[in-house]
Amino acid sequence: MCKVLYELHDLGSRHDRHAALMTSLWDREKLLFESIVVAGIASGDFHPRRSPGELAASFLAMEDGLGLHIVSQNASLSVPMALDLLVSFASAELGLDLPRPALR
């Protein structure tokens, strides 16, 4: 599924209608991440230094970028390494002390 999504992103550079669909996908995913950050702030669990929108965009960009390298079989980035990067970034940005996954 992820590979197909990454291939679909490329179509946006050639077709305006597809670019609009990819923009809509980004906006909906960002809104999902943003709602999670807002809920964490409201519950007192998150203590971010940046706005929920900035964090949502950053988390989404990390997910997309790391995912692209994973599905592309990048030998320099393993799944555990990608997970560690995401968790350590989220921990720092949200003001949490999340447990770091064990690298294999």
Side-chain angles (χ1 to χ4, degrees):
M1 177 77 147
C2 289
K3 285 183 180 184
V4 172
L5 280 173
Y6 289 123
E7 290 175 14
L8 289 174
H9 278 276
D10 185 50
L11 291 175
S13 66
R14 297 188 299 267
H15 302 284
D16 290 342
R17 286 184 71 197
H18 192 76
L21 289 171
M22 297 314 296
T23 299
S24 175
L25 176 62
W26 168 271
D27 291 341
R28 287 182 287 140
E29 287 181 287
K30 183 178 171 272
L31 187 59
L32 173 64
F33 279 100
E34 192 170 347
S35 68
I36 293 167
V37 173
V38 167
I41 293 169
S43 70
D45 293 318
F46 296 169
H47 308 283
R49 294 176 301 225
R50 293 199 272 161
S51 74
E54 289 177 315
L55 287 173
S58 297
F59 292 140
L60 181 51
M62 282 193 77
E63 174 194 30
D64 286 349
L66 292 169
L68 177 63
H69 287 280
I70 294 299
V71 301
S72 300
Q73 304 291 320
N74 181 335
S76 294
L77 181 69
S78 66
V79 171
M81 286 174 61
L83 181 59
D84 183 62
L85 287 169
L86 284 168
V87 169
S88 63
F89 179 75
S91 184
E93 290 298 321
L94 295 172
L96 298 171
D97 188 22
L98 296 171
R100 303 276 296 268
L103 294 178
R104 294 183 230 150

